[in-house]
Amino acid sequence: MNSFKFDLLHTDPHSQARRGRIHTRRGVIETPIFMPVGTQATVKAMLPENLKEVGAQIILANTYHLFLRPGHELVKRLGGLHAFMNWDKPILTDSGGFQVFSLGDLRKITEEGVRFQSHLDGSSHVLTPESSISVQQALGADIIMAFDECIPYPATREYVQDSTDRSSRWAQRCKKAHDGTDGSALFGIVQGGMYSDLRRKSAEELMHIGFDGYAVGGLSVGEEAPLMYDMMAQTLPLLPKDRPRYVMGVGTPENLIEGVDRGVDMFDCVMPTRNARNGVLFTSFGKISIKQARYVDDPAPVDPACDCYVCRHYSRAYLRHLYQSGEILSSVLNTYHNVHYYLKLMEGARQAIASGSFQDYKKDFYRLRQGND
């Protein structure tokens, strides 16, 4: 049985910001929330216990990568993703669409689905709406995504319309393939590129099909931030108020704050983990690059305003030393801090929305960053 439910608890009186609660078969998710990305059944450089320490409520895993290696059937035999990776909280899997469509010449789109060559060994595979649902259910995810095409930017209106119409037809097939007996929730994905009327058409078609939640895809694909925010502002109000709203693959701390302001409940992005491995750390006053020589003898924590384990125990000088030395601990500590920062940012947003002070929270966020980022 599908035990999925969304409660809308508070709305901000001065914006579209929402405070909610998602109920899943593996626990409750307080929204707005950021989901750390665990592409291959691991959030890089983080133990599951570390994720819980920093407040992760749900993580994302990647259908495409797990389909190719180690294979969804193996994962299923070993008890599903939760047992496989020792994570007992909710997991969301993407449909594999974004990765498949990123392969360029290595894939071919038809009405049936997508035929593609593995980036690992060149072997040929096919993903269809039905097989994407089957793979995600075999993985045992709590929230699974409809199979769609992530439209590139820029793209002609003709291309966007053809692709969006096909994604709607695929969404119908996904809904039919998903009987819900495994207990998973199914989200539809609004496409339409940067054309507001096509976004509206896509949203209306998905709502007619009916999903447990709705995502907005095809953003943060190269467009300028103002255009991204405009697409959010035009699309999100079209979606049902009693369902979670998820903007996929977004993004920077600024993107998150602006997204929350426009009514987003869920985010994911590799940015905090990938930046951590490259020595870029997020702070309340903006980003810092720990590799810079200015930190060679700096005894201060990464962010004096941060209460995470890393900021309580290690100096910028030490973190720079680890990075310059190529030590594995560099990625571990940097990732711990960055994921903690993102999750605390969302925790603060939830508290601000509940108290009716989100606009003050947003102003403080930007004030602290002025001249530092």
Side-chain angles (χ1 to χ4, degrees):
M1 291 291 293
N2 185 347
S3 57
F4 187 88
K5 186 177 71 151
F6 176 70
D7 296 327
L8 181 58
L9 304 177
H10 301 279
T11 54
D12 180 65
H14 307 293
S15 72
Q16 299 297 314
R18 296 151 41 107
R19 165 81 174 89
R21 182 170 293 143
I22 300 172
H23 300 264
T24 77
R25 57 182 173 170
R26 286 190 175 86
V28 171
I29 304 160
E30 306 290 342
T31 67
I33 187 63
F34 177 82
M35 300 180 285
V37 175
T39 301
Q40 306 197 65
T42 171
V43 177
K44 289 179 173 61
M46 292 283 278
L47 287 167
E49 290 76 12
N50 296 152
L51 288 166
K52 291 177 182 178
E53 288 167 7
V54 297
Q57 302 176 52
I58 176 174
I59 62 171
L60 181 147
N62 185 273
T63 295
Y64 166 82
H65 287 284
L66 295 173
F67 170 68
L68 292 179
R69 182 177 60 191
H72 57 289
E73 290 156 346
L74 182 147
V75 173
K76 184 177 181 178
R77 286 198 305 273
L78 294 175
L81 268 182
H82 295 84
F84 191 53
M85 66 180 295
N86 187 34
W87 176 255
D88 59 3
K89 290 179 177 289
I91 295 175
L92 181 149
T93 47
D94 65 10
S95 69
F98 177 78
Q99 286 71 30
V100 167
F101 296 113
S102 299
L103 293 172
D105 293 339
L106 296 177
R107 52 89 172 143
K108 181 179 180 182
I109 306 169
T110 67
E111 187 65 27
E112 178 197 10
V114 183
R115 182 174 295 277
F116 64 95
Q117 289 178 262
S118 165
H119 72 287
L120 298 173
D121 59 10
S123 57
S124 182
H125 303 272
V126 176
L127 266 180
T128 67
E130 292 81 8
S131 65
S132 173
I133 295 298
S134 177
V135 170
Q136 293 180 78
Q137 290 184 318
L139 293 172
D142 304 286
I143 300 174
I144 68 178
M145 304 301 298
F147 191 63
D148 69 329
E149 179 183 358
C150 183
I151 298 168
Y153 176 82
T156 66
R157 181 181 177 87
E158 181 182 17
Y159 181 96
V160 173
Q161 184 154 2
D162 286 348
S163 172
T164 301
D165 288 347
R166 184 170 50 247
S167 285
S168 290
R169 294 191 296 272
W170 285 355
Q172 181 72 62
R173 288 164 58 188
C174 286
K175 178 66 182 289
K176 187 176 179 181
H178 178 259
D179 59 14
T181 55
D182 67 328
S184 63
L186 177 63
F187 281 27
I189 305 175
V190 178
Q191 287 293 346
M194 304 303 159
Y195 300 93
S196 57
D197 61 322
L198 297 182
R199 288 275 177 186
R200 174 181 290 276
K201 181 173 182 284
S202 175
E204 289 172 349
E205 290 170 351
L206 292 178
M207 287 187 291
H208 179 73
I209 297 169
F211 290 93
D212 297 302
Y214 295 86
V216 179
L219 295 181
S220 193
V221 289
E223 77 279 11
E224 295 294 322
L227 180 55
M228 181 202 308
Y229 301 148
D230 184 46
M231 286 298 105
M232 287 186 193
Q234 294 193 53
T235 306
L236 292 163
L238 303 173
L239 302 175
K241 291 184 178 180
D242 62 349
R243 297 286 190 273
R245 301 167 177 175
Y246 166 27
V247 172
M248 306 178 75
V250 175
T252 66
E254 292 82 359
N255 293 162
L256 267 61
I257 290 295
E258 294 295 339
V260 169
D261 199 23
R262 289 161 176 78
V264 181
D265 303 309
M266 303 168 70
F267 302 89
D268 81 278
C269 190
V270 298
M271 192 163 285
T273 48
R274 182 174 291 169
N275 273 265
R277 299 192 301 277
N278 289 305
V280 176
L281 301 172
F282 294 94
T283 76
S284 57
F285 51 85
K287 290 185 297 189
I288 69 170
S289 177
I290 203 66
K291 67 190 83 170
Q292 292 180 347
R294 71 173 85 175
Y295 302 118
V296 66
D297 59 354
D298 191 336
V302 171
D303 185 352
C306 178
D307 64 353
C308 83
Y309 174 85
V310 176
C311 288
R312 286 187 285 111
H313 291 91
Y314 300 105
S315 66
R316 296 172 180 174
Y318 182 64
L319 295 179
R320 182 182 186 275
H321 158 69
L322 291 178
Y323 184 84
Q324 294 298 109
S325 303
E327 286 291 337
I328 293 171
L329 187 59
S330 172
S331 291
V332 172
L333 296 181
N334 290 351
T335 304
Y336 191 106
H337 168 80
N338 276 359
V339 175
H340 177 274
Y341 170 81
Y342 267 63
L343 292 169
K344 287 294 281 190
L345 185 66
M346 291 294 93
E347 181 184 330
R350 292 194 296 272
Q351 293 172 352
I353 296 167
S355 64
S357 59
F358 179 74
Q359 291 309 306
D360 291 334
Y361 183 73
K362 180 179 174 181
K363 288 175 186 173
D364 287 344
F365 169 82
Y366 281 112
R367 178 182 55 78
L368 288 169
R369 303 169 89 78
Q370 268 186 339
N372 289 304
D373 210 352

